[in-house]
Amino acid sequence: MATVPTIRLNNGVEIPQLGFGVFQIPPDQTAEATRTALEVGYRHIDTAQMYGNEKGVGAGIRDSGIPREEVFVTSKLNNNRQSRDDVLRSFDETLAQLGFDQLDLFLVHWPLASVSDYVARWKAMEEIYASGRVRAIGVSNFQPHHLRNLFAGTEVRPAVNQIEAHPYLGNDEARTFNAQHEIATEAWAPIAKGRVTGDPVITQIAERVGKTPAQVTLRWHVQRGDVVFPKSVTRSRVEENFDLFDFELDEAAMAAITGLDRGERTGPDPDTFAYIPD
Ligand code: NDP
């Protein structure tokens, strides 16, 4: 089984660079999907309160027989948890759903700057971190200007910023800012929700190196230094997406994929997104 490299976060915690995402996996299929990913070799699962499937992630890990401490698990604060008490309570719920005493990484899912106070939410995240029940805290979908505001009013630097990034959205301004401030970048929708599979440039590179377009794209992320967690409910793809460590892209291939950037998002714009569920 391939060894997945780890990345050292700014507080010394190590995170596997390749994980498994469970967004849009129905709750009743999540335990099985998680078990499959663990069987294939993944040791990092990315979920969120909003996905409604934390319980399945916890069950899948327990069913697998793999010791809890060998699997890195991330969850994210739902957008409707605003007050300090709501943030603290919802973290307790996350631990209860997962059946864990401690979480590896907890993220603020969206800044929601037009409708909420993300600095206040971050202060509640700092309290959770200080309690020792989470090994690292971070943010998701934060632009550099959101991070600057956070730095000005709070103590703990986010360990990661999980942002949309793939060949059609390089997101290099945010990635560079993250790197300059010792914040690890995690790239969500790493294969642009499957769109890269039909790309002529990526397909040509894939044929040349004897890999698939998804593998070439995931390898491009790994070589850029970002953390990725492709999602799939299809076992053969879960295996395919894990098989990234027996080849390397040369500079020309890296540049050709980077050159596909056209600022195209598959999801909401963090500067305008303001969705708060009931
Ligand atoms: P991905 O880029 O991972 O694409 C997933 C889609 O691609 C699915 O339809 C899947 O199909 C298909 N697919 C997977 N592997 C292959 C392959 N090898 N060949 C062809 N098609 C493939 O998108 P996601 O949006 O799921 O992003 C990944 C993870 O990022 C999420 O699961 C979640 O953990 C996180 N995320 C975070 C967000 C945030 O705001 N922080 C927002 C969105 C995602 P199938 O399952 O049918 O096999």
Side-chain angles (χ1 to χ4, degrees), residues 61-248:
I61 293 171
R62 272 187 302 283
D63 294 352
S64 75
I66 295 166
R68 158 70 189 105
E69 60 276 13
E70 289 181 20
V71 187
F72 190 101
V73 179
T74 300
S75 192
K76 315 184 192 86
L77 180 72
N78 206 347
N79 291 354
N80 55 2
R81 315 299 186 167
Q82 299 289 332
S83 71
R84 169 185 175 273
D85 288 354
D86 275 355
V87 174
L88 299 188
R89 203 168 25 237
S90 80
F91 179 74
D92 292 343
E93 282 164 19
T94 278
L95 287 185
Q97 289 284 316
L98 288 161
F100 294 172
D101 299 327
Q102 191 192 42
L103 185 67
D104 297 289
L105 177 63
F106 196 45
L107 307 179
V108 174
H109 208 147
W110 288 90
L112 308 168
S114 63
V115 289
S116 88
D117 180 351
Y118 56 83
V119 176
R121 276 185 288 147
W122 185 252
K123 288 183 178 163
M125 298 285 285
E126 290 181 325
E127 281 190 54
I128 296 168
Y129 183 54
S131 78
R133 290 179 307 149
V134 64
R135 297 171 67 219
I137 53 174
V139 295
S140 178
N141 300 300
F142 274 48
Q143 306 279 41
H145 66 96
H146 298 125
L147 286 167
R148 274 192 210 98
N149 281 339
L150 212 61
F151 298 164
T154 63
E155 301 288 325
V156 180
R157 180 94 15 139
V160 317
N161 186 11
Q162 183 177 127
I163 56 176
E164 181 173 355
H166 43 72
Y168 307 132
L169 180 74
N171 222 339
D172 283 326
E173 198 187 321
R175 290 178 66 254
T176 303
F177 185 90
N178 291 342
Q180 284 167 347
H181 295 86
E182 294 186 296
I183 297 171
T185 295
E186 297 188 331
W188 65 255
I191 55 169
K193 303 203 185 285
R195 287 181 206 170
V196 300
T197 56
D199 189 279
V201 171
I202 296 174
T203 303
Q204 205 178 42
I205 295 169
E207 279 166 8
R208 186 153 50 76
V209 300
K211 287 283 176 179
T212 67
Q215 288 170 326
V216 161
T217 304
L218 293 167
R219 180 72 208 184
W220 171 79
H221 284 286
V222 168
Q223 288 184 213
R224 295 215 304 170
D226 293 352
V227 177
V228 280
F229 23 79
K231 169 264 175 187
S232 177
V233 291
T234 316
R235 185 174 177 119
S236 58
R237 288 173 170 174
V238 176
E239 288 170 355
E240 176 185 331
N241 296 344
F242 192 72
D243 183 17
L244 310 178
F245 302 103
D246 62 349
F247 75 109
E248 207 164 320

Side-chain angles (χ1 to χ4, degrees), residues 2-8 14-18 219 222 227 245:
T3 307
V4 174
T6 60
I7 290 196
R8 184 178 289 255
E14 302 267 342
I15 184 171
Q17 202 182 357
L18 174 65
R219 180 72 208 184
V222 168
V227 177
F245 302 103

